[in-house]
Amino acid sequence: MGGELNYNIYTYNVDIAFLNEKIVLEYDGWFHLNNVHHKESNDNQRDEKIISLGWKVIRFQCYNDILPSDEKILQLFEQAKKPLDKKIVIDLKKYLL
C-alpha cells in the first residue's frame, strides 16, 4: 500500500500516512487505551486537526493488541477514499470474536 511510518502532520506523529490518498491509519492498542493519561478527547482533538488539514483518519482500537486481517484493512482503506468518510473508528473486539 506504500504508507509512511511515523509520519509528521502538523505537530502530530501518526502511525501510518498514505500521502497520495491523504489517509492516516492510527492503531490504539491495549497500553494506549488503558493508560491513565489517555483521554479520548485528546484523540478526537488530534483527529479533528488532522481532518481540518485535508486528511482522513482510520483509527483501530483493540484491547488485545491484534490487528485485523489485511483484507479488512484494505476494505476500510477503500471506504475512507470515499468523499463522505472523514473519520472511521473501528473497535476490533467485534472483528476478533
XYZ file of all heavy atoms in Angstrom:
820
model
N 0.825 -1.200 0.000
C 0.000 0.000 0.000
C 0.865 1.258 0.000
O 0.392 2.299 -0.378
C -0.956 -0.021 1.189
C -2.052 -1.062 1.028
S -3.145 -1.317 2.443
C -3.662 0.293 2.903
N 2.086 1.172 0.478
C 3.016 2.289 0.332
C 2.900 3.413 1.338
O 3.199 4.549 1.008
N 2.499 3.134 2.556
C 2.379 4.181 3.563
C 3.709 4.535 4.204
O 4.663 3.766 4.175
N 3.763 5.736 4.784
C 4.939 6.226 5.513
C 4.711 6.006 7.006
O 3.735 6.494 7.567
C 5.144 7.717 5.252
C 5.435 8.075 3.815
C 6.866 7.774 3.421
O 7.736 7.783 4.302
O 7.088 7.522 2.227
N 5.618 5.282 7.648
C 5.509 5.026 9.082
C 5.948 6.240 9.887
O 6.896 6.938 9.518
C 6.376 3.834 9.482
C 5.995 2.486 8.898
C 7.019 1.437 9.295
C 4.609 2.080 9.356
N 5.264 6.489 11.011
C 5.616 7.567 11.941
C 5.812 8.897 11.223
O 6.825 9.562 11.370
C 6.859 7.185 12.743
C 6.641 5.918 13.524
O 5.619 5.770 14.176
N 7.580 5.004 13.442
N 4.813 9.287 10.487
C 4.855 10.492 9.652
C 4.343 11.697 10.440
O 3.375 11.589 11.205
C 3.995 10.265 8.407
C 4.092 11.347 7.396
C 5.184 11.434 6.534
C 3.085 12.302 7.277
C 5.269 12.430 5.591
C 3.160 13.313 6.327
C 4.257 13.372 5.494
O 4.340 14.365 4.553
N 4.976 12.846 10.275
C 4.557 14.072 10.958
C 3.519 14.824 10.139
O 3.750 15.114 8.974
C 5.751 14.997 11.211
C 6.561 14.573 12.400
O 6.057 13.954 13.317
N 7.829 14.901 12.382
N 2.402 15.128 10.799
C 1.377 16.007 10.244
C 1.107 17.059 11.311
O 0.724 16.723 12.424
C 0.079 15.242 9.917
C 0.340 14.161 8.880
C -1.002 16.207 9.437
C -0.864 13.269 8.609
N 1.347 18.314 10.952
C 1.227 19.425 11.890
C 2.197 19.139 13.036
O 3.388 19.000 12.786
C -0.240 19.578 12.334
C -0.523 20.795 13.156
C -0.258 22.069 12.662
C -1.072 20.690 14.426
C -0.525 23.199 13.430
C -1.347 21.809 15.189
C -1.070 23.054 14.688
O -1.335 24.159 15.441
N 1.731 19.017 14.265
C 2.632 18.691 15.379
C 2.471 17.245 15.829
O 2.990 16.864 16.877
C 2.372 19.624 16.590
O 1.018 19.437 17.017
C 2.608 21.071 16.232
N 1.763 16.454 15.040
C 1.448 15.081 15.423
C 2.289 14.080 14.646
O 2.579 14.268 13.477
C -0.031 14.784 15.183
C -0.947 15.762 15.855
C -1.763 16.606 15.117
C -0.991 15.854 17.240
C -2.599 17.515 15.745
C -1.826 16.754 17.876
C -2.630 17.586 17.113
O -3.446 18.480 17.741
N 2.639 13.004 15.305
C 3.338 11.893 14.688
C 2.309 10.773 14.534
O 1.882 10.185 15.520
C 4.502 11.458 15.584
C 5.380 10.438 14.936
O 5.427 10.328 13.717
N 6.092 9.682 15.739
N 1.887 10.504 13.286
C 0.854 9.494 13.048
C 1.500 8.144 12.757
O 2.642 8.076 12.301
C -0.101 9.915 11.909
C -0.795 11.226 12.255
C 0.607 10.011 10.579
N 0.755 7.061 13.021
C 1.301 5.717 12.838
C 1.673 5.451 11.380
O 2.799 5.086 11.081
C 0.312 4.660 13.336
C 0.132 4.704 14.842
O 1.028 5.208 15.549
O -0.917 4.235 15.322
N 0.721 5.597 10.476
C 0.974 5.385 9.048
C 0.214 6.448 8.267
O -0.979 6.680 8.510
C 0.508 3.991 8.584
C 1.155 2.886 9.405
C 0.828 3.794 7.093
C 0.606 1.491 9.108
N 0.899 7.089 7.337
C 0.267 8.083 6.473
C 0.410 7.648 5.020
O 1.498 7.272 4.584
C 0.901 9.451 6.674
N -0.687 7.701 4.297
C -0.687 7.441 2.865
C -0.789 8.794 2.177
O -1.849 9.409 2.155
C -1.844 6.504 2.495
C -1.692 5.161 3.147
C -2.238 4.916 4.387
C -0.963 4.168 2.529
C -2.082 3.684 5.004
C -0.800 2.927 3.139
C -1.358 2.692 4.379
N 0.349 9.262 1.689
C 0.471 10.636 1.224
C -0.400 10.930 0.009
O -1.054 11.982 -0.037
C 1.933 10.953 0.919
C 2.920 10.682 2.064
C 4.332 11.085 1.668
C 2.506 11.383 3.334
N -0.416 10.059 -0.975
C -1.204 10.310 -2.188
C -2.691 10.385 -1.902
O -3.400 11.199 -2.484
C -0.931 9.241 -3.251
C 0.475 9.323 -3.802
O 1.121 10.364 -3.740
N 0.964 8.224 -4.331
N -3.166 9.538 -1.009
C -4.593 9.482 -0.687
C -4.968 10.400 0.479
O -6.138 10.606 0.740
C -5.005 8.044 -0.335
C -4.858 7.070 -1.480
C -3.457 6.478 -1.623
O -2.545 6.857 -0.853
O -3.266 5.645 -2.511
N -3.965 10.892 1.204
C -4.166 11.709 2.412
C -5.048 10.964 3.428
O -6.040 11.485 3.932
C -4.717 13.083 2.074
C -3.687 13.935 1.332
C -4.074 15.371 1.253
C -3.675 16.046 2.533
N -3.742 17.496 2.488
N -4.642 9.709 3.707
C -5.332 8.879 4.689
C -4.333 8.478 5.768
O -3.207 8.087 5.470
C -5.931 7.619 4.032
C -7.030 8.015 3.029
C -6.494 6.669 5.091
C -7.590 6.858 2.236
N -4.754 8.592 7.021
C -3.943 8.222 8.177
C -4.534 6.962 8.799
O -5.750 6.877 8.998
C -3.953 9.361 9.226
C -3.374 8.909 10.545
C -3.219 10.577 8.696
N -3.680 5.988 9.121
C -4.084 4.831 9.909
C -3.460 4.983 11.297
O -2.244 5.136 11.422
C -3.585 3.520 9.300
C -4.179 3.063 7.983
C -3.587 1.727 7.576
C -5.682 2.959 8.054
N -4.289 4.961 12.329
C -3.821 5.018 13.704
C -4.231 3.728 14.398
O -5.342 3.227 14.189
C -4.442 6.202 14.443
C -3.938 7.557 13.976
C -2.593 7.887 14.560
O -1.592 7.254 14.143
O -2.525 8.762 15.423
N -3.356 3.188 15.215
C -3.633 1.952 15.943
C -3.501 2.227 17.429
O -2.435 2.594 17.907
C -2.659 0.845 15.522
C -2.900 -0.439 16.265
C -3.921 -1.289 15.879
C -2.144 -0.778 17.371
C -4.173 -2.458 16.563
C -2.384 -1.951 18.072
C -3.400 -2.783 17.660
O -3.652 -3.932 18.352
N -4.611 2.062 18.145
C -4.627 2.233 19.593
C -4.703 0.853 20.229
O -5.751 0.220 20.214
C -5.833 3.065 20.045
C -5.858 4.449 19.420
O -4.783 4.930 19.025
O -6.948 5.035 19.339
N -3.597 0.401 20.769
C -3.547 -0.907 21.419
C -3.873 -0.817 22.896
O -4.288 0.225 23.416
N -3.672 -1.939 23.571
C -4.026 -2.058 24.981
C -3.408 -0.955 25.829
O -4.089 -0.316 26.627
C -3.574 -3.438 25.491
C -3.945 -3.657 26.923
C -5.090 -4.209 27.381
C -3.180 -3.301 28.072
N -5.092 -4.229 28.757
C -3.920 -3.674 29.213
C -1.942 -2.699 28.263
C -3.466 -3.467 30.502
C -1.495 -2.490 29.556
C -2.257 -2.869 30.652
N -2.116 -0.702 25.674
C -1.454 0.290 26.522
C -2.051 1.677 26.316
O -2.338 2.392 27.272
C 0.054 0.326 26.259
C 0.771 1.296 27.144
C 1.074 0.959 28.453
C 1.110 2.558 26.691
C 1.713 1.859 29.294
C 1.750 3.464 27.523
C 2.051 3.114 28.821
N -2.263 2.048 25.072
C -2.826 3.370 24.765
C -4.221 3.520 25.376
O -4.528 4.532 26.001
C -2.880 3.574 23.247
C -3.461 4.881 22.831
N -2.716 6.037 22.814
C -4.703 5.225 22.417
C -3.482 7.033 22.409
N -4.687 6.564 22.162
N -5.052 2.511 25.201
C -6.433 2.601 25.664
C -6.575 2.471 27.179
O -7.538 2.956 27.756
C -7.281 1.537 24.968
C -7.412 1.731 23.449
C -8.042 0.497 22.828
C -8.213 2.978 23.121
N -5.623 1.830 27.836
C -5.697 1.629 29.281
C -4.801 2.566 30.078
O -4.788 2.508 31.301
C -5.346 0.175 29.630
C -6.454 -0.754 29.235
O -7.538 -0.704 29.773
N -6.185 -1.586 28.244
N -4.054 3.400 29.408
C -3.149 4.328 30.063
C -3.971 5.358 30.834
O -4.903 5.957 30.297
C -2.272 5.017 29.006
C -1.179 5.862 29.596
O -1.317 6.396 30.688
N -0.105 5.989 28.875
N -3.622 5.580 32.097
C -4.381 6.530 32.926
C -4.304 7.951 32.367
O -5.162 8.773 32.659
C -3.911 6.518 34.395
C -4.215 5.189 35.046
C -2.446 6.862 34.515
N -3.300 8.230 31.560
C -3.152 9.570 30.976
C -3.886 9.702 29.646
O -3.998 10.793 29.116
C -1.674 9.905 30.783
C -0.896 9.883 32.057
N -1.093 10.804 33.048
C 0.045 9.031 32.513
C -0.285 10.541 34.069
N 0.408 9.454 33.762
N -4.386 8.579 29.134
C -5.100 8.609 27.856
C -6.451 9.285 28.033
O -7.193 8.995 28.953
C -5.309 7.189 27.321
C -6.208 7.144 26.126
N -7.501 6.725 26.209
C -5.997 7.482 24.838
C -8.055 6.793 25.018
N -7.158 7.253 24.172
N -6.744 10.179 27.141
C -8.035 10.837 27.130
C -8.578 10.744 25.708
O -7.931 11.149 24.760
C -7.908 12.305 27.517
C -7.328 12.548 28.893
C -8.390 13.098 29.807
C -7.856 13.511 31.141
N -7.524 12.450 32.024
N -9.776 10.183 25.587
C -10.388 10.062 24.266
C -10.555 11.434 23.617
O -10.417 11.576 22.412
C -11.743 9.362 24.371
C -12.353 9.073 23.023
C -13.643 8.263 23.118
O -13.926 7.696 24.175
O -14.350 8.220 22.108
N -10.812 12.459 24.445
C -10.971 13.806 23.894
C -9.683 14.283 23.225
O -9.734 15.006 22.229
C -11.403 14.792 24.979
O -10.422 14.875 25.996
N -8.509 13.865 23.735
C -7.245 14.232 23.086
C -7.148 13.603 21.705
O -6.710 14.244 20.746
C -6.053 13.793 23.931
C -5.931 14.573 25.219
O -6.561 15.616 25.398
N -5.142 14.060 26.141
N -7.541 12.326 21.590
C -7.548 11.663 20.286
C -8.495 12.370 19.334
O -8.178 12.576 18.162
C -7.957 10.192 20.417
C -6.885 9.319 21.049
O -5.712 9.739 21.080
O -7.233 8.217 21.510
N -9.666 12.739 19.840
C -10.647 13.417 18.992
C -10.134 14.769 18.511
O -10.315 15.126 17.342
C -11.984 13.578 19.717
C -12.714 12.268 19.870
O -12.523 11.343 19.084
N -13.545 12.161 20.895
N -9.503 15.542 19.405
C -8.941 16.838 19.006
C -7.852 16.651 17.961
O -7.793 17.397 16.976
C -8.367 17.574 20.218
C -9.406 18.115 21.144
C -8.791 18.733 22.390
O -7.646 18.472 22.744
N -9.574 19.551 23.075
N -7.014 15.676 18.173
C -5.936 15.369 17.238
C -6.512 14.989 15.875
O -6.095 15.500 14.837
C -5.110 14.225 17.828
C -4.092 13.610 16.945
C -3.528 12.386 17.665
N -2.762 11.543 16.797
C -1.442 11.470 16.801
N -0.742 12.177 17.652
N -0.824 10.670 15.967
N -7.508 14.089 15.881
C -8.130 13.666 14.628
C -8.787 14.845 13.912
O -8.669 14.984 12.686
C -9.165 12.570 14.883
C -8.547 11.261 15.347
O -7.305 11.104 15.262
O -9.309 10.384 15.813
N -9.485 15.683 14.660
C -10.162 16.823 14.047
C -9.161 17.790 13.403
O -9.422 18.329 12.333
C -11.042 17.555 15.065
C -12.259 16.750 15.488
C -13.139 16.304 14.323
O -13.414 17.128 13.417
O -13.533 15.121 14.301
N -8.021 18.002 14.041
C -6.997 18.873 13.459
C -6.446 18.257 12.177
O -6.288 18.941 11.159
C -5.861 19.118 14.461
C -4.768 20.021 13.933
C -5.306 21.399 13.552
C -4.221 22.308 13.049
N -4.742 23.608 12.636
N -6.165 16.970 12.212
C -5.645 16.284 11.024
C -6.677 16.337 9.898
O -6.339 16.615 8.745
C -5.239 14.830 11.378
C -3.993 14.862 12.291
C -4.972 14.008 10.128
C -3.642 13.525 12.915
N -7.941 16.112 10.230
C -9.016 16.194 9.240
C -9.116 17.605 8.679
O -9.301 17.795 7.468
C -10.351 15.718 9.858
C -10.297 14.208 10.100
C -11.531 16.090 8.977
C -11.418 13.673 10.978
N -8.968 18.620 9.531
C -9.059 20.010 9.067
C -7.948 20.361 8.078
O -8.074 21.308 7.302
C -9.037 20.977 10.250
O -7.717 21.135 10.758
N -6.875 19.573 8.093
C -5.768 19.791 7.164
C -5.947 18.990 5.872
O -5.037 18.921 5.048
C -4.446 19.417 7.838
C -4.072 20.279 9.046
C -2.894 19.681 9.793
C -3.763 21.706 8.593
N -7.139 18.380 5.718
C -7.461 17.693 4.471
C -7.204 16.197 4.466
O -7.300 15.556 3.421
N -6.893 15.633 5.620
C -6.634 14.192 5.732
C -7.894 13.475 6.194
O -8.799 14.084 6.759
C -5.517 13.938 6.741
C -4.175 14.394 6.288
C -3.693 15.671 6.307
C -3.138 13.586 5.746
N -2.415 15.703 5.810
C -2.052 14.430 5.460
C -3.024 12.225 5.481
C -0.861 13.964 4.916
C -1.841 11.755 4.947
C -0.775 12.615 4.670
N -7.920 12.156 5.987
C -8.940 11.282 6.550
C -8.248 10.374 7.554
O -7.063 10.091 7.420
C -9.608 10.460 5.462
C -10.368 11.336 4.473
C -11.019 10.508 3.412
C -11.742 11.410 2.437
N -12.505 10.628 1.458
N -8.984 9.919 8.566
C -8.399 9.140 9.654
C -9.144 7.821 9.810
O -10.370 7.807 9.893
C -8.455 9.916 10.993
C -7.914 9.065 12.132
C -7.694 11.229 10.888
N -8.392 6.721 9.842
C -8.920 5.419 10.233
C -8.226 5.067 11.544
O -7.006 4.977 11.606
C -8.630 4.327 9.183
C -9.237 4.698 7.826
C -9.175 2.982 9.667
C -8.860 3.746 6.706
N -9.009 4.905 12.602
C -8.452 4.623 13.930
C -8.920 3.239 14.381
O -10.102 2.999 14.549
C -8.896 5.696 14.921
C -8.347 5.510 16.329
C -8.689 6.690 17.219
N -7.970 7.889 16.826
C -6.715 8.153 17.155
N -6.025 7.292 17.880
N -6.142 9.269 16.753
N -7.963 2.336 14.562
C -8.245 0.993 15.071
C -8.062 1.002 16.581
O -7.043 1.465 17.078
C -7.280 -0.036 14.467
C -7.446 -0.231 12.994
C -6.576 0.356 12.102
C -8.476 -1.011 12.503
C -6.721 0.173 10.740
C -8.629 -1.203 11.145
C -7.750 -0.613 10.259
N -9.039 0.474 17.308
C -8.948 0.368 18.767
C -9.057 -1.104 19.154
O -10.047 -1.752 18.840
C -10.062 1.167 19.429
C -9.958 2.642 19.140
C -11.088 3.433 19.745
O -12.197 2.947 19.895
N -10.806 4.667 20.100
N -8.034 -1.596 19.828
C -8.027 -3.015 20.181
C -7.352 -3.226 21.527
O -6.195 -2.867 21.717
C -7.303 -3.827 19.120
S -7.389 -5.583 19.438
N -8.080 -3.828 22.448
C -7.528 -4.106 23.769
C -6.652 -5.346 23.776
O -5.933 -5.592 24.717
C -8.660 -4.251 24.787
C -9.342 -2.939 25.079
C -10.422 -2.511 24.318
C -8.889 -2.111 26.094
C -11.029 -1.296 24.564
C -9.489 -0.907 26.353
C -10.563 -0.502 25.587
O -11.155 0.709 25.837
N -6.700 -6.149 22.708
C -5.917 -7.386 22.636
C -4.624 -7.224 21.855
O -3.891 -8.187 21.683
C -6.742 -8.500 21.975
C -7.961 -8.845 22.776
O -7.954 -8.712 23.984
N -9.004 -9.277 22.126
N -4.364 -6.052 21.339
C -3.175 -5.776 20.528
C -3.069 -6.699 19.323
O -1.997 -7.182 18.972
C -1.894 -5.842 21.374
C -1.765 -4.641 22.286
O -2.358 -3.595 21.973
O -1.081 -4.737 23.307
N -4.193 -6.953 18.686
C -4.234 -7.779 17.483
C -4.782 -6.933 16.344
O -5.800 -6.261 16.496
C -5.140 -9.019 17.694
C -4.588 -9.879 18.829
C -5.267 -9.819 16.407
C -5.516 -11.012 19.237
N -4.097 -6.963 15.220
C -4.561 -6.221 14.051
C -5.609 -7.025 13.286
O -5.595 -8.249 13.302
C -3.394 -5.928 13.112
C -2.460 -4.810 13.540
C -1.241 -4.786 12.624
C -3.165 -3.472 13.508
N -6.502 -6.316 12.574
C -7.438 -7.034 11.705
C -6.689 -7.616 10.505
O -5.524 -7.288 10.271
C -8.420 -5.946 11.276
C -7.651 -4.685 11.391
C -6.691 -4.888 12.521
N -7.381 -8.411 9.736
C -6.770 -9.009 8.553
C -6.390 -7.935 7.541
O -6.960 -6.836 7.532
C -7.743 -9.995 7.907
O -8.843 -9.285 7.355
N -5.447 -8.261 6.683
C -5.062 -7.336 5.602
C -6.276 -6.996 4.737
O -6.441 -5.861 4.312
C -3.969 -7.952 4.733
C -2.637 -8.057 5.451
O -2.474 -7.441 6.527
O -1.753 -8.762 4.923
N -7.120 -7.996 4.511
C -8.327 -7.787 3.700
C -9.225 -6.724 4.328
O -9.742 -5.843 3.646
C -9.086 -9.107 3.564
C -10.342 -9.011 2.750
C -11.057 -10.347 2.658
O -10.464 -11.309 2.138
O -12.213 -10.410 3.131
N -9.411 -6.786 5.657
C -10.257 -5.810 6.350
C -9.627 -4.416 6.298
O -10.317 -3.425 6.078
C -10.496 -6.239 7.800
C -11.465 -5.344 8.533
C -12.832 -5.390 7.890
C -13.790 -4.412 8.515
N -15.049 -4.323 7.765
N -8.322 -4.336 6.478
C -7.643 -3.041 6.402
C -7.813 -2.436 5.012
O -8.123 -1.247 4.876
C -6.153 -3.178 6.780
C -6.014 -3.515 8.271
C -5.386 -1.894 6.452
C -4.606 -3.842 8.706
N -7.650 -3.254 3.970
C -7.824 -2.755 2.597
C -9.255 -2.302 2.345
O -9.483 -1.285 1.692
C -7.425 -3.826 1.587
C -5.931 -4.095 1.473
C -5.677 -5.314 0.592
C -5.197 -2.883 0.926
N -10.212 -3.031 2.894
C -11.620 -2.654 2.742
C -11.880 -1.286 3.387
O -12.528 -0.424 2.796
C -12.509 -3.725 3.374
C -13.976 -3.418 3.318
C -14.797 -4.433 4.099
O -14.295 -5.164 4.947
N -16.077 -4.478 3.826
N -11.361 -1.078 4.580
C -11.552 0.200 5.273
C -10.816 1.325 4.566
O -11.287 2.457 4.491
C -11.090 0.080 6.723
C -11.941 -0.847 7.575
C -11.242 -1.174 8.879
C -13.302 -0.231 7.821
N -9.645 1.016 4.032
C -8.863 1.995 3.281
C -9.659 2.466 2.065
O -9.748 3.660 1.796
C -7.534 1.357 2.874
C -6.585 2.294 2.189
C -5.834 3.188 2.929
C -6.445 2.268 0.820
C -4.954 4.053 2.311
C -5.570 3.134 0.193
C -4.825 4.024 0.938
N -10.267 1.533 1.345
C -11.082 1.883 0.175
C -12.301 2.696 0.597
O -12.680 3.652 -0.079
C -11.512 0.627 -0.588
C -10.372 -0.058 -1.315
C -9.680 0.832 -2.338
O -10.371 1.565 -3.076
O -8.437 0.797 -2.397
N -12.895 2.341 1.731
C -14.048 3.090 2.242
C -13.650 4.529 2.566
O -14.390 5.465 2.291
C -14.605 2.405 3.484
C -15.809 3.100 4.089
C -16.302 2.403 5.340
O -15.991 1.244 5.585
N -17.076 3.111 6.135
N -12.464 4.717 3.136
C -12.018 6.053 3.529
C -11.729 6.941 2.316
O -11.707 8.157 2.439
C -10.767 5.954 4.406
N -11.507 6.351 1.164
C -11.272 7.144 -0.051
C -12.534 7.860 -0.518
O -12.463 8.840 -1.236
C -10.764 6.250 -1.183
C -9.344 5.779 -1.016
C -8.962 4.968 -2.243
C -7.585 4.424 -2.197
N -7.263 3.628 -3.392
N -13.688 7.367 -0.086
C -14.953 7.983 -0.497
C -15.091 9.355 0.146
O -14.665 9.573 1.274
C -16.119 7.080 -0.116
C -16.075 5.743 -0.834
C -17.184 4.834 -0.384
C -17.042 3.483 -1.058
N -18.004 2.517 -0.568
N -15.700 10.284 -0.565
C -15.749 11.678 -0.080
C -16.450 11.883 1.257
O -16.118 12.791 1.982
C -16.492 12.426 -1.179
C -16.696 11.485 -2.289
C -16.311 10.116 -1.855
N -17.407 11.040 1.619
C -18.188 11.298 2.827
C -17.522 10.815 4.107
O -17.883 11.235 5.189
C -19.571 10.655 2.697
C -20.431 11.195 1.563
C -21.762 10.450 1.505
C -20.675 12.687 1.718
N -16.585 9.910 4.018
C -15.979 9.329 5.208
C -14.702 10.083 5.589
O -13.668 9.891 4.990
C -15.646 7.846 4.982
C -16.890 7.012 4.785
O -17.875 7.252 5.501
O -16.866 6.131 3.911
N -14.794 10.940 6.599
C -13.633 11.705 7.070
C -12.912 10.990 8.204
O -11.728 11.153 8.400
C -14.053 13.097 7.550
C -14.676 13.951 6.486
C -13.652 14.388 5.480
C -14.272 15.321 4.468
N -13.485 15.499 3.307
N -13.672 10.216 8.981
C -13.087 9.510 10.119
C -13.826 8.199 10.312
O -15.050 8.156 10.295
C -13.188 10.349 11.391
C -12.585 9.687 12.614
C -12.641 10.610 13.807
C -12.106 9.950 15.049
N -12.158 10.850 16.197
N -13.059 7.131 10.492
C -13.615 5.811 10.746
C -12.940 5.286 12.005
O -11.718 5.232 12.068
C -13.348 4.848 9.574
C -13.951 5.404 8.272
C -13.889 3.462 9.878
C -13.519 4.644 7.033
N -13.737 4.929 13.015
C -13.204 4.348 14.240
C -13.685 2.905 14.303
O -14.889 2.646 14.232
C -13.653 5.118 15.496
C -13.126 4.451 16.753
C -13.207 6.568 15.419
N -12.741 1.984 14.426
C -13.061 0.563 14.433
C -12.703 -0.023 15.791
O -11.553 0.013 16.200
C -12.248 -0.182 13.351
C -12.459 0.446 11.984
C -12.581 -1.672 13.357
C -13.875 0.421 11.490
N -13.711 -0.548 16.488
C -13.464 -1.297 17.713
C -13.258 -2.746 17.281
O -14.191 -3.406 16.839
C -14.651 -1.174 18.664
C -14.448 -1.922 19.965
O -13.479 -2.699 20.082
O -15.270 -1.730 20.867
N -12.036 -3.216 17.390
C -11.689 -4.520 16.834
C -12.277 -5.695 17.602
O -12.214 -6.819 17.124
C -10.173 -4.652 16.730
C -9.544 -3.722 15.702
C -8.034 -3.852 15.725
C -10.066 -4.001 14.314
N -12.871 -5.464 18.759
C -13.462 -6.574 19.512
C -14.488 -7.321 18.669
O -14.548 -8.543 18.675
C -14.133 -6.070 20.790
C -13.136 -5.700 21.879
C -13.872 -5.322 23.135
C -14.253 -3.876 23.028
N -14.773 -3.286 24.244
N -15.302 -6.586 17.899
C -16.342 -7.256 17.117
C -15.775 -8.012 15.917
O -16.418 -8.909 15.396
C -17.418 -6.260 16.681
C -16.937 -5.159 15.774
C -18.096 -4.228 15.484
C -17.598 -2.947 14.851
N -18.669 -2.009 14.669
N -14.577 -7.676 15.473
C -13.960 -8.376 14.352
C -13.165 -9.587 14.796
O -12.813 -10.411 13.993
C -13.049 -7.442 13.548
C -13.816 -6.362 12.848
C -13.807 -5.066 13.334
C -14.560 -6.649 11.718
C -14.531 -4.072 12.698
C -15.282 -5.658 11.072
C -15.262 -4.380 11.570
O -15.976 -3.407 10.947
N -12.846 -9.656 16.074
C -11.961 -10.712 16.559
C -12.682 -11.789 17.348
O -12.075 -12.737 17.800
C -10.847 -10.096 17.413
C -9.991 -9.078 16.669
C -9.052 -8.377 17.641
C -9.203 -9.741 15.555
N -13.984 -11.633 17.535
C -14.738 -12.638 18.308
C -15.023 -13.858 17.473
O -15.128 -13.865 16.312
C -16.057 -12.028 18.816
C -15.886 -10.871 19.807
C -17.259 -10.313 20.163
C -15.165 -11.317 21.051
